[in-house]
Amino acid sequence: MANNLLKGKRGIIFGALDENSIAWKTALKVKEEGGVFTLTNAPIAMRLGKINELAKECNAEVIPADATSEADLANLFTKSQEVLGGKIDFVLHSIGMSPNIRKEKPYGDLNYEWFQKTLDISALSFHKVLQTAEKLDALNEWASVLALSYIAAQRSYPDYTDMAQAKAMLESIARSYGARYAKLKKVRVNTISQSPTRTTAGSGISGFDVFFDFANMMSPLGNASAEDCAAYIAVMFSDFTRMVTMQNLMHDGGFSASGITEEIVERLSK
Ligand code: NAI
């Protein structure tokens, strides 16, 4: 059921790797709601992923950019404005990667070069996106910029290792840049803290299935799916949420406000 929520809006969507990606579902939802956009991902992910399929479906141009490269980001914002015919109204940063998690390094044996890579790709890149947009004056007034976070920014999850620090930094950047950009141009900046979701990045965390099931049992509404997340993102890009900024928005079926649930009691009583 489309409502034309994003009619006349132009955007950039980072991070669609395959049909499970939250960014992939978001692209489809934004298109359904009347928004136009460019798609982007790291050059290497483009070779491995299926972004061109999505681009075809969405009638969108693909502009490669490594989100850690300021030059790539400048090119992305400049080209996107040319292709879309004006300044940008929405940006989704849907990017996460930890070499330490990939190599299954425990928290007491992290490789610090990789730790810095985790922070650069998963958090600092959000600052680079915002700073590039500001320097190029690429965003319209009331534009909405979003990144995706996880509750490990606030609570400990042993297998999430250095991504927990990356998410804490990501949320902090949303607050700091949100304050700056609101004053400069009424641009809003938020993070959405999403339930565990079966994607390439999500399933890379060891023990993912267990904490997916645990979160599902601890959430009165159950885990939020990638499609649910895409719908929330569309609303956050729309004019219906103009005064929301500098927030970390929980999108988790009630998980973060639950102490214990009947499902957990039942399971542990057996
Ligand atoms: P995904 O694996 O489909 O997406 C991650 C994307 O990051 C990929 O498209 C990848 O190519 C991109 N990426 C990695 N390095 C990059 C770089 N240097 N430059 C540009 N792009 C780069 O997985 P998913 O789950 O859709 O991830 C999207 C976001 O959602 C991430 O920030 C993730 O941490 C977050 N998130 C995911 C949850 C889950 O359980 N899957 C839960 C909460 C948040």
Side-chain angles (χ1 to χ4, degrees):
M1 191 182 51
N3 301 290
N4 265 335
L5 270 188
L6 303 174
K7 196 162 181 238
K9 293 198 186 288
R10 296 179 277 262
I12 300 176
I13 298 179
F14 288 80
L17 183 66
D18 59 29
E19 60 277 8
N20 298 316
S21 301
I22 297 167
W24 186 289
K25 311 278 192 206
T26 302
L28 295 176
K29 181 53 83 181
V30 168
K31 177 167 192 285
E32 193 183 308
E33 290 299 335
V36 293
F37 48 86
T38 55
L39 292 167
T40 183
N41 210 326
I44 177 149
M46 246 164 236
R47 286 199 294 278
L48 303 171
K50 306 172 162 177
I51 200 168
N52 288 324
E53 270 176 40
L54 178 67
K56 222 174 180 185
E57 204 174 334
C58 294
N59 217 353
E61 193 152 319
V62 179
I63 304 171
D66 179 335
T68 64
S69 156
E70 289 170 75
D72 282 11
L73 290 173
N75 178 58
L76 169 67
F77 272 99
T78 305
K79 285 230 172 97
S80 294
Q81 290 179 87
E82 282 166 21
V83 169
L84 301 170
K87 289 190 198 289
I88 303 301
D89 300 295
F90 61 86
V91 178
L92 175 65
H93 175 290
S94 185
I95 299 170
M97 211 281 283
S98 159
N100 279 307
I101 290 182
R102 278 214 178 157
K103 305 263 159 64
E104 296 187 2
K105 287 286 217 177
Y107 200 60
D109 185 31
L110 293 184
N111 173 312
Y112 290 116
E113 257 173 54
W114 294 347
F115 198 148
Q116 296 211 352
K117 236 179 167 183
T118 302
L119 297 179
D120 197 17
I121 294 173
S122 311
L124 213 53
S125 63
F126 193 41
H127 192 283
K128 290 179 184 170
V129 165
L130 287 156
Q131 186 166 292
T132 303
E134 183 191 327
K135 285 192 173 161
L136 295 173
D137 191 21
L139 302 185
N140 270 324
E141 280 202 351
W142 299 106
S144 174
V145 184
L146 286 175
L148 293 173
S149 194
Y150 183 56
I151 196 171
Q154 287 85 29
R155 305 208 193 142
S156 71
Y157 287 81
D159 293 329
Y160 210 64
T161 67
D162 56 358
M163 274 298 277
Q165 277 73 69
K167 291 304 191 194
M169 190 196 277
L170 185 79
E171 292 176 12
S172 175
I173 289 169
R175 280 187 293 275
S176 298
Y177 227 116
R180 178 178 174 83
Y181 232 152
K183 284 288 175 200
L184 282 174
K185 260 205 118 173
K186 299 188 174 12
V187 166
R188 46 224 185 77
V189 186
N190 295 286
T191 50
I192 291 179
S193 187
Q194 162 68 6
S195 294
T197 315
R198 289 188 206 284
T199 62
T200 304
S203 314
I205 318 281
S206 74
F208 178 83
D209 286 342
V210 173
F211 73 71
F212 181 92
D213 290 344
F214 174 74
N216 201 34
M217 291 167 83
M218 271 292 278
S219 309
L221 288 176
N223 285 335
S225 68
E227 285 85 358
D228 292 321
C229 192
Y232 190 32
I233 290 167
V235 173
M236 286 304 300
F237 284 163
S238 81
D239 292 335
F240 286 105
T241 53
R242 283 181 11 142
M243 298 308 282
V244 183
T245 194
M246 301 160 64
Q247 303 299 312
N248 178 48
L249 304 160
M250 292 299 180
H251 185 254
D252 62 1
F255 177 83
S256 50
S258 294
I260 193 162
T261 58
E262 281 171 12
E263 284 81 354
I264 297 279
V265 171
E266 226 171 81
R267 169 67 68 93
L268 294 176
S269 305
K270 275 178 192 161

